[in-house]
Every structure is written in C-alpha cells, then in structure tokens.
Amino acid sequence: MSGAILTLNAGSSSLKFAVFSAAGSDDTPMISGKIAGIGDRPVFSAQGADRKALEAGTWQELDTSLSHDAIIARLLPWLAQQLGATPLLMVGHRVVHGGQSYANPVLIDDAVLASLEALAPLAPLHQPHNLAAIRAVAKWQPDLAQIACFDTSFHRSQDRLAQMFALPRALSDEGILRYGFHGLSYDYIASALPEYLGKTAKGRVIVAHLGNGASICAMKGGKSVATSMGFTALDGLMMGRRCGSLDPGVLLYLMQSKGMDATQIETLLYRQSGLLGVSGISNNMQVLQDSDDPHAREAIDLFCYRAASILAGLIPAIGGLDALVFTAGIGEKSALIRQQICDQLAWLGISLQTEANGRNAIRISTPQSKVPVLVLPTNEEIVVAKACRKMLA
C-alpha cells in the first residue's frame, strides 16, 4: 500500500512524532522527531531516515505560550510538506487509558472520543493531551482515519485476581480495577525479547520501564501477568513528580487535618511529589545524579529502594525469575540506578558486569549471574505503526 502512517505520542510537556511507510514492515521511520518543553520553552527537533537533522525553519520561533493544539496545528502541514506527493493514510495515537472497553486498537469516531474523554480524570497528565492531538488532526483533515492504541491494553491478559482491589464488589464491577500502563512499551519489549533471550523470552520475565513515569511488569509467555501501576498512573514506583504507592490514610489526613480539596491533592500527588518532592531540586534523574546535595542522594536511594522492593514483590505472580530487563529513559541510560537496584536483588543471584553496565550494553549481567539482565531501548512508535498497518489492511 503506497502512502504513509503518522504516529503521535502527546505527553504533558512534549510531543513525539514519527512517519512510517504504510507498505511492508520497514521499522525505520521516514521522519521522526520531538517537540519538548511545551508550556515553557518549546524546542523542535526532527530527522530523516538517514538520521540527518531536518531543517527546523520557523520552528526556531516557537512561542512559549503555544498549546499542544497549536503546536500540532503547525506540525501537520510541515509534515505534509516533507512528504510531498506521498499521501498520509492514517494517524495512530498513543492513548494512555482505554478503561474496560478497549483491549485492542480502535478506529476513532465521536462515540470513541466521548468514552475516552470520560477516562481523563484517571490519567490527567496524559489523556487530555492525547485527545487534544486527535482533535487537532480531525480539525486539520476531517476525513483522515485515526486510531487509538492504548497503554492499558497489554495488561488485559491479567487474570481477575491481579486486577482486583479489596473493595466492595459493586465498585469493582463498575470498573474500579487495576488497569496498568506503559503497555505499548511492554508490548514492544515482549516482541523484541526472542532475539536476545531465545526460548527464555517466553519464560518468567520482569521488565522495568523506568523514566519520568515508571512502572514494572511481570510477564509469562510474553503476556502481562502483574504490574505495579493500578487504577491510575499514580500507583507503584516513585516517579519524577508522582508519589507512587501511598497509604490511602495519608489522603484522609490531608483532607481532614490539612483541609486540602481534591484539586490540591491531585496537584500534590501528580506534580509535586516523587523525585522532585523528595529532593526539592528536580524531577530529572541526571540532574540529581550530578548533584552533591544530600537530598538528591536520598531521592535516588528511595527511588531504587522502592523499585527493588516492588520488583521483588512481583516475582511470586510468575513463580520465579528467568530474566530482568531495564528500559525507558532512566532504565536505558543510568548505570547507577541499574546497579543500585540489582545490588538490592543480589539475593536472587543477580550480579552485574561493571564495565558492560557502565557503557549501557545490551547484556549487563555477569556470566555467573543466575538471572540474565538486559538493557533494551523501547519503541512505542513502532507498536502504533504496526497497528495502523494492520488496520489499513
């Protein structure tokens, strides 16, 4: 099929995009790029299939006040110009929350958009921006087909017990369940594992997606069995600005004794906690690693302690551990974080090769390690592009 597919991944302060051929199975994007710093100082970067940077042009003049909608409205004609005579056939979006209704990619219409809008309170940092991108594309070219690919879909393979909270049954039945997130990332890693692990790829594997948003997934047979995130993307690991698992009694205390309302608590949990809250310095792991402030060190230590504890707690769900994989920004780039987490898991027989870990090699465990440890880059865009190709076919 002659034409192109566009993938959009709209985050709270960034927009990632990639253009793939609609034909065949070439995973190399024709164009890829990112607009970072939205809402502050937007910075545009893009490259072609040859990895050479594309001319930024008017992108150098991005206004700090530009919203996601305005930036996408500028991006789409620019991409069309870059494609020339190649028609754009479909746009695929990463959408964080699909609820109970969507276990697979879905063609977007008004009814789908309305149902996804209702889930926005469960992913306030992401869902509104995901939907803004969909609306911006529809406004630019109303007849262009769009599909939504969900971070929650990968975890729909979990059994009921793994999804339930110990709440009254009526609440569970209406959808207050553990959904899990970062599913597109886990889907990609699961598909890539056979190349590096052979038959072990279908065994008991734990993947740690460590970035500004972070979670861990326990897999068996390449399927999600259990994960650290739950009803919202707040649960589980400590993150850049999010608190991770928290005693619900803390929320009651904040309301009853501190007089905080829902909006104030949402801001606290989603934007003021995590690495930023503990360090008082930054949500950026590299900034903290470069700092000599003891609060920065404490934030790093807490991040690693929580990650090792939660990772170990997922092992019973899959009955053991055959391989451990680190991915995403921190997982792929921080030798310190990987070493510190694995040191706390040495009782599992895990040992890292210092030199390999230091250069972010693919396999960083020693030959003597009872559990192989890998570092693999994730690629959510390819997962979305393949879903588009399947939908077009």
Side-chain angles (χ1 to χ4, degrees), residues 55-66:
E55 178 60 43
T58 57
W59 288 102
Q60 295 172 349
E61 305 165 9
L62 281 174
D63 192 320
T64 59
S65 65
L66 284 178

Side-chain angles (χ1 to χ4, degrees), residues 365-376:
S365 50
T366 65
Q368 295 76 32
S369 180
K370 292 183 179 179
V371 178
V373 183
L374 306 181
V375 178
L376 297 178

Side-chain angles (χ1 to χ4, degrees), residues 194-266:
E195 179 182 348
Y196 304 99
L197 291 176
K199 293 181 179 179
T200 303
K202 296 298 183 181
R204 303 164 299 182
V205 179
I206 287 184
V207 182
H209 177 107
L210 306 181
N212 192 50
S215 68
I216 298 178
C217 181
M219 302 179 190
K220 200 170 186 179
K223 305 291 185 182
S224 175
V225 175
T227 187
S228 61
M229 279 185 169
F231 182 59
T232 70
L234 273 177
D235 201 8
L237 301 182
M238 171 182 172
M239 299 170 236
R241 294 175 180 266
R242 283 170 269 173
C243 59
S245 297
L246 185 70
D247 179 350
V250 173
L251 305 184
L252 297 176
Y253 173 80
L254 294 175
M255 289 187 289
Q256 295 167 354
S257 298
K258 295 291 187 180
M260 295 178 69
D261 62 22
T263 300
Q264 291 171 314
I265 291 175
E266 179 181 274

Side-chain angles (χ1 to χ4, degrees), residues 9-15 67-70 72 93-98 113 115-137 181 233 266 270-271:
N9 183 346
S12 57
S13 62
S14 66
L15 175 69
S67 65
H68 283 69
D69 308 49
I72 294 169
H93 298 264
R94 175 202 176 200
V95 176
V96 167
H97 215 307
L113 197 56
S115 66
L116 298 180
E117 185 73 58
L119 295 170
L122 307 188
L125 295 186
H126 301 88
Q127 197 89 343
H129 301 304
N130 303 156
L131 304 185
I134 293 169
R135 292 192 178 95
V137 172
F181 298 91
E266 179 181 274
Y270 276 101
R271 302 179 186 278

Side-chain angles (χ1 to χ4, degrees), residues 64-375:
T64 59
S65 65
L66 284 178
S67 65
H68 283 69
D69 308 49
I71 284 176
I72 294 169
R74 183 181 291 193
L75 173 66
L76 295 170
W78 181 85
L79 286 171
Q81 184 179 27
Q82 298 296 315
L83 288 172
T86 303
L88 186 59
L89 302 180
M90 180 173 283
V91 180
H93 298 264
R94 175 202 176 200
V95 176
V96 167
H97 215 307
Q100 293 190 90
S101 301
Y102 302 110
N104 296 294
V106 61
L107 195 64
I108 299 168
D109 58 20
D110 289 343
V112 169
L113 197 56
S115 66
L116 298 180
E117 185 73 58
L119 295 170
L122 307 188
L125 295 186
H126 301 88
Q127 197 89 343
H129 301 304
N130 303 156
L131 304 185
I134 293 169
R135 292 192 178 95
V137 172
K139 184 176 180 181
W140 175 64
Q141 208 170 116
D143 295 330
L144 183 59
Q146 300 187 73
I147 70 167
C149 300
F150 303 98
D151 263 341
T152 49
S153 294
F154 186 73
H155 304 293
R156 305 324 300 149
S157 59
Q158 294 180 8
D159 66 29
R160 181 168 168 80
L161 289 183
Q163 297 179 53
M164 289 181 70
F165 294 110
L167 290 171
R169 183 171 295 275
L171 293 175
S172 298
D173 291 343
E174 72 178 46
I176 299 181
L177 299 166
R178 300 182 61 87
Y179 289 100
F181 298 91
H182 296 129
L184 298 180
S185 174
Y186 293 129
D187 193 346
Y188 175 78
I189 295 297
S191 70
L193 280 178
E195 179 182 348
Y196 304 99
L197 291 176
K199 293 181 179 179
T200 303
K202 296 298 183 181
R204 303 164 299 182
V205 179
I206 287 184
V207 182
H209 177 107
L210 306 181
N212 192 50
S215 68
I216 298 178
C217 181
M219 302 179 190
K220 200 170 186 179
K223 305 291 185 182
S224 175
V225 175
T227 187
S228 61
M229 279 185 169
F231 182 59
T232 70
L234 273 177
D235 201 8
L237 301 182
M238 171 182 172
M239 299 170 236
R241 294 175 180 266
R242 283 170 269 173
C243 59
S245 297
L246 185 70
D247 179 350
V250 173
L251 305 184
L252 297 176
Y253 173 80
L254 294 175
M255 289 187 289
Q256 295 167 354
S257 298
K258 295 291 187 180
M260 295 178 69
D261 62 22
T263 300
Q264 291 171 314
I265 291 175
E266 179 181 274
T267 299
L268 174 71
L269 301 185
Y270 276 101
R271 302 179 186 278
Q272 299 174 343
S273 299
L275 292 172
L276 175 63
V278 176
S279 71
I281 298 170
S282 176
N283 64 307
N284 187 303
M285 183 62 81
Q286 188 59 55
V287 170
L288 298 182
Q289 289 182 198
D290 293 340
S291 174
D292 57 5
D293 190 310
H295 293 159
R297 182 72 248 181
E298 188 170 56
I300 292 171
D301 289 346
L302 182 59
F303 180 91
C304 294
Y305 170 77
R306 293 284 294 275
S309 298
I310 290 174
L311 193 158
L314 289 172
I315 293 175
I318 50 176
L321 185 61
D322 297 319
L324 171 60
V325 180
F326 289 97
T327 192
I330 297 171
E332 294 170 27
K333 297 175 183 176
S334 179
L336 172 67
I337 299 303
R338 294 191 299 262
Q339 184 71 61
Q340 196 161 328
I341 291 172
C342 288
D343 283 349
Q344 295 179 57
L345 298 171
W347 55 275
L348 288 168
I350 292 175
S351 62
L352 297 190
Q353 190 174 358
T354 302
E355 185 274 332
N357 185 43
R359 60 183 169 85
N360 302 324
I362 291 176
R363 193 182 187 107
I364 60 173
S365 50
T366 65
Q368 295 76 32
S369 180
K370 292 183 179 179
V371 178
V373 183
L374 306 181
V375 178

